[in-house]
């Protein structure tokens, strides 16, 4: 059973959230998943009486088979945006009970772009450029063009073997800017992919491979999961990243149609939208993007106050009473305050980042295509970063600090 006590008192939970049984939650695993559990679940079991158990990995095809044989094993699934759309098209998901959710979490705390009929935003996640500092002690590539410059940066390269974000990466490597990618001309994108393909030494099929590749120093340059890369850097591995031209996507909490505990699953999805959980998630994993945006306003005020206090401490005392470490802490606090302010106000950073929609336009055709299953989607169904269309977008937007948050 999973659980972590947060300050919220169990007696504050509405009676409608009490229940029994065990929920099976399917998410992505990896070194960050236990932190995710601690942050999102909180004292859910103690407050509601509903136990939790985790499994992985979210798979639309497997869910479809489960549904066909009438044996759905999962109660809650953390689907990526495009997976949620695929599952929705195949009638595999239950609608979210927003009356229940808003009885626990004020509606105005949540990013409305993350609230869809069949899913609620879990986290924004990112792909970033990463490199081995021992191989490139003077710094790594600043963008995807340099990433594939084998003369300037010789070495072994790895990319995620998925059309998203490989096609976006290929187009940016050809010189296109993030704002020029959509609607995407698929023929042009595959031509760009053909150009970079010979320079990729390893196509990563499972995100768990990033940890092993870093630990074994098997590659020198990666278009890698931010969360997994940061976890390895924290463990002492000599890697660095740039957030420039990072690629942001969005995952959604969903409930499979036919889930054995669908009623209790609605309670967990609502619970995971609480401000307390989002706050804990940012403390544990600051490179995530949260759906509960109220937490950013609190973080904004708190980090500015911390920075001001540390700066005042150094100004009021002589140099020998303001050690280097205190000055460094003040600098970090100011930097964090600036990042949080950018998240709250939506002002862009000095680096270019890309939010990718769940579907891709196919040139001048009237269809858009999801390449994981080659299912056609009518144009206009994909929501892009400027808010167009009528399906939930997969952008971090104001929900993401630094616009670089791949949580896989």
């Amino acid at each position: 059973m999973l659980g972590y006590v947060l300050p919220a008192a169990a007696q504050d939970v509405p009676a409608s959230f009490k229940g029994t049984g065990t929920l099976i939650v399917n998410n992505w695993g990896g070194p960050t998943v236990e932190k995710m559990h601690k942050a999102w679940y909180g004292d859910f079991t103690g407050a509601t009486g509903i136990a939790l158990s985790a499994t992985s990995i979210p798979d639309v095809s497997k869910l479809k088979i489960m549904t066909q044989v009438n044996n759905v094993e999962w109660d809650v699934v953390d689907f990526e945006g495009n997976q949620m759309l695929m599952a929705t098209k195949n009638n595999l998901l239950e609608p979210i009970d927003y009356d229940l959710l808003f009885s626990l979490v004020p509606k105005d705390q949540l990013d409305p772009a993350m609230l869809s009929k069949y899913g609620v935003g879990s986290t924004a996640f990112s792909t970033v450029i990463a490199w081995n500092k021992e191989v490139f002690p003077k710094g790594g590539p600043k963008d995807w063009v340099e990433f594939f410059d084998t003369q300037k940066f010789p070495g072994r390269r790895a990319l995620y073997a998925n059309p998203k974000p490989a096609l976006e990466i290929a187009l940016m490597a050809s010189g296109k800017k993030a704002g020029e990618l959509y609607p995407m001309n698929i023929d042009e994108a595959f031509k760009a992919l053909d150009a970079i393909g010979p320079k990729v030494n390893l196509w990563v099929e499972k995100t768990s491979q990033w940890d092993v590749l870093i630990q074994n120093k098997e590659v020198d340059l990666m278009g890698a999961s931010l969360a997994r890369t940061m976890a390895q850097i924290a463990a002492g591995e000599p890697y660095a990243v740039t957030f420039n031209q990072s690629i942001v996507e969005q995952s959604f909490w969903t409930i499979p149609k036919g889930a054995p505990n669908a009623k209790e699953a609605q309670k967990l999805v609502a619970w995971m939208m609480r401000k307390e959980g989002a706050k804990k998630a940012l403390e544990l994993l600051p490179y995530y993007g949260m759906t509960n945006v109220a937490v950013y306003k609190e973080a904004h005020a708190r980090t500015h106050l911390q920075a001001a206090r540390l700066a005042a401490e150094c100004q009021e005392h002589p140099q020998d009473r303001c050690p280097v470490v205190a000055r460094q802490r003040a600098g970090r606090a100011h930097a964090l305050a600036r990042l949080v302010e950018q998240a709250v106000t939506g002002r862009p950073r000095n680096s270019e980042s890309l939010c990718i929609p769940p579907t891709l336009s196919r040139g001048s055709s009237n269809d858009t295509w999801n390449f994981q299953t080659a299912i056609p989607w009518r144009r206009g169904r994909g929501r892009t970063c400027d808010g167009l269309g009528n399906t939930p977008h997969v952008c971090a937007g104001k929900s993401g600090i630094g616009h670089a948050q791949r949580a896989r």
Side-chain angles (χ1 to χ4, degrees):
M1 184 175 69
L2 302 166
Y4 186 86
V5 178
L6 291 177
Q11 60 265 29
D12 295 334
V13 178
S16 57
F17 279 78
K18 302 295 183 179
T20 59
T22 300
L23 293 176
I24 306 299
V25 183
N26 186 353
N27 56 19
W28 296 86
T32 63
V33 75
E34 184 59 30
K35 293 181 180 179
M36 293 156 63
H37 293 161
K38 290 178 180 179
W40 287 327
Y41 301 160
D43 192 26
F44 177 79
T45 297
T48 66
I50 304 168
L52 302 173
S53 181
T55 187
S56 60
I57 291 173
D59 187 320
V60 177
S61 298
K62 187 172 183 179
L63 177 58
K64 188 174 182 179
I65 293 172
M66 288 180 180
T67 303
Q68 290 172 343
V69 299
N70 197 29
N71 186 29
V72 176
E73 299 175 0
W74 308 325
D75 297 300
V76 178
V77 184
D78 183 19
F79 275 138
E80 293 182 357
N82 61 326
Q83 291 179 310
M84 180 184 70
L85 294 180
M86 292 161 58
T88 300
K89 185 173 178 64
N90 284 277
N91 196 30
L92 300 177
L93 300 178
E94 292 280 352
I96 299 299
D97 185 346
Y98 281 103
D99 289 337
L100 180 71
L101 196 160
F102 295 144
S103 74
L104 184 69
V105 182
K107 184 177 181 179
D108 61 4
Q109 289 187 2
L110 305 178
D111 183 346
M114 297 297 106
L115 310 179
S116 80
K117 182 176 181 179
Y118 295 101
V120 180
S122 55
T123 59
F125 58 96
S126 282
T127 297
V128 296
I129 295 172
W131 62 89
N132 187 329
K133 294 191 296 184
E134 292 178 347
V135 178
F136 304 110
K138 295 182 179 181
K142 68 177 185 296
D143 55 31
W144 294 108
V145 172
E146 286 196 350
F147 182 89
F148 290 102
D149 187 339
T150 56
Q151 297 297 318
K152 188 173 183 179
F153 295 100
R156 288 176 54 80
R157 289 163 170 76
L159 283 183
Y160 189 33
N162 193 307
K164 296 183 179 182
L167 294 179
E168 284 82 1
I169 289 172
L171 286 171
M172 285 190 283
S174 73
K176 280 186 173 289
K177 302 297 183 182
E180 302 171 346
L181 300 187
Y182 304 113
M184 185 180 287
N185 184 311
I186 299 303
D187 292 335
E188 180 186 14
F190 274 103
K191 183 177 179 180
L193 190 63
D194 288 340
I196 66 170
K199 299 178 182 180
V200 179
N201 302 95
L202 181 63
W203 289 96
V204 173
E205 296 183 1
K206 296 182 179 180
T207 55
S208 58
Q209 289 179 254
W210 293 121
D211 303 289
V212 177
L213 291 178
I214 293 173
Q215 292 166 4
N216 295 340
K217 314 292 190 299
E218 292 184 36
V219 292
D220 308 307
L221 299 153
M222 305 180 297
S225 158
L226 173 63
R228 289 182 182 271
T229 303
M230 295 302 293
Q232 294 304 319
I233 291 173
E237 298 296 343
Y239 281 75
V241 305
T242 178
F243 294 134
N244 191 42
Q245 292 192 340
S246 59
I247 299 175
V248 186
E249 300 177 69
Q250 178 71 42
S251 285
F252 292 82
W253 291 118
T254 65
I255 299 172
K257 183 169 289 187
N261 302 288
K263 183 178 179 180
E264 313 294 48
Q266 296 280 4
K267 300 173 185 178
L268 177 62
V269 169
W271 180 275
M272 291 188 291
M273 294 299 106
R274 295 160 67 242
K275 184 170 63 176
E276 293 88 348
K279 178 181 176 181
K280 191 66 180 179
L282 286 180
E283 292 173 355
L284 295 171
L285 300 162
Y287 34 80
Y288 280 157
M290 299 292 116
T291 293
N292 191 316
V293 294
V295 69
Y296 291 110
K297 297 177 182 179
E298 290 188 2
H300 182 213
R302 187 170 58 254
T303 52
H304 271 293
L305 179 61
Q306 179 188 21
R309 286 175 175 172
L310 289 168
E313 178 184 342
C314 285
Q315 290 172 358
E316 292 173 2
H317 299 291
Q319 183 71 12
D320 59 354
R321 296 183 62 187
C322 181
V324 173
V325 66
R327 295 198 301 277
Q328 291 174 338
R329 288 176 60 204
R332 286 196 297 271
H334 276 295
L336 179 58
R338 288 194 296 272
L339 285 178
V340 174
E341 182 174 7
Q342 290 158 4
V344 173
T345 64
R347 288 199 296 270
R349 301 184 60 193
N350 291 328
S351 59
E352 179 185 39
S353 61
L354 170 68
C355 301
I356 69 174
T359 56
L360 303 173
S361 292
R362 189 175 182 229
S364 59
S365 168
N366 290 323
D367 291 331
T368 54
W369 288 82
N370 181 304
F371 286 95
Q372 287 194 348
T373 58
I375 296 174
W377 292 75
R378 300 301 295 178
R379 175 172 292 172
R381 295 283 299 176
R383 185 159 185 153
T384 60
C385 294
D386 56 6
L388 301 177
N390 56 12
T391 56
H393 66 60
V394 293
C395 308
K398 291 185 181 180
S399 302
I401 291 182
H403 299 284
Q405 299 144 348
R406 183 172 181 84
R408 298 292 178 252

